[in-house]
Amino acid sequence: MQPQVGIIMGSKSDWPTMERAAALLDTLGVSYEVEVVSAHRTPDKLFTYAKSAKSRGLKVIIAGAGGAAHLPGMAASQTNLPVLGVPIESQALKGMDSLLSIVQMPAGVPVATLAIGKAGAANAAILAAQILALNDISIAKKLEEFCTNQTQTVLDNPDPRVI
C-alpha cells in the first residue's frame, strides 16, 4: 500500500513517542512510512525527503522533534503538504522548548502544532486521518468508528473506581 503519511522524527530516541501516531494510523487504516530525519545531523536528507514527499504520494507529514525542534518547520519550508508538529518531551525543559520551537513559525510557513508527547502524537495521527478522510470514504468510516468507540468506552465506564 502506498504510504499517505510520512512520520519523521529527529532521532531514534523519539520513537517511543511517535509510535503512538503509527499505532493510531494502523487502527484507522492509514498507510504510512517512518523514518529518522534529523534537521541538524542530516539536513540534506531532510530537504530531499520533504521536497520529494508529494511526488512519492504522501499527503501529510507528521514530524516529531525535541529540544530545538527545527524538524517540523524545516520540513514545512520545503513542501506545501500539511506538516503536523509533535513536540517531544525533553529532559531539561519537559518539552516546553520543543513546543515553543515548533509553534513559533513565521507567517507563510505553517506547522500545525500538537500537544507535547504521546497525546500530541496520537492527535497528530487523528488529525492526519481527518485530513485524508475529506477525500477517502474508507478512512472517514474508520474515523467515525474510532470516535464512536471512544465515546462508548467513556459511557460504559462512568465509575472511576471500577477497573
Side-chain angles (χ1 to χ4, degrees), residues 9-120:
M9 62 213 77
S11 72
K12 191 174 183 177
S13 64
D14 298 337
W15 179 241
T17 298
M18 299 306 290
E19 70 181 333
R20 182 75 171 116
L24 265 170
L25 290 175
D26 284 335
T27 298
L28 297 170
V30 175
S31 57
Y32 61 90
E33 63 185 28
V34 177
E35 194 163 342
V36 173
V37 181
S38 172
H40 300 110
R41 295 177 195 93
T42 61
D44 292 337
K45 179 180 180 179
L46 165 59
F47 281 22
T48 299
Y49 183 92
K51 286 180 179 181
S52 69
K54 193 175 203 175
S55 66
R56 292 184 297 107
L58 296 182
K59 294 180 175 72
V60 180
I61 296 173
I62 298 173
H70 292 124
L71 181 64
M74 292 306 294
S77 78
Q78 300 299 307
T79 184
N80 62 5
L81 292 176
V83 175
L84 313 179
V86 178
I88 303 295
E89 186 173 340
S90 58
Q91 287 185 337
L93 298 173
K94 302 297 181 204
M96 285 302 296
D97 49 349
S98 312
L99 174 66
L100 294 174
S101 293
I102 296 170
V103 79
Q104 289 294 97
M105 291 301 298
V109 187
V111 173
T113 308
L114 287 300
I116 297 168
K118 291 181 181 183

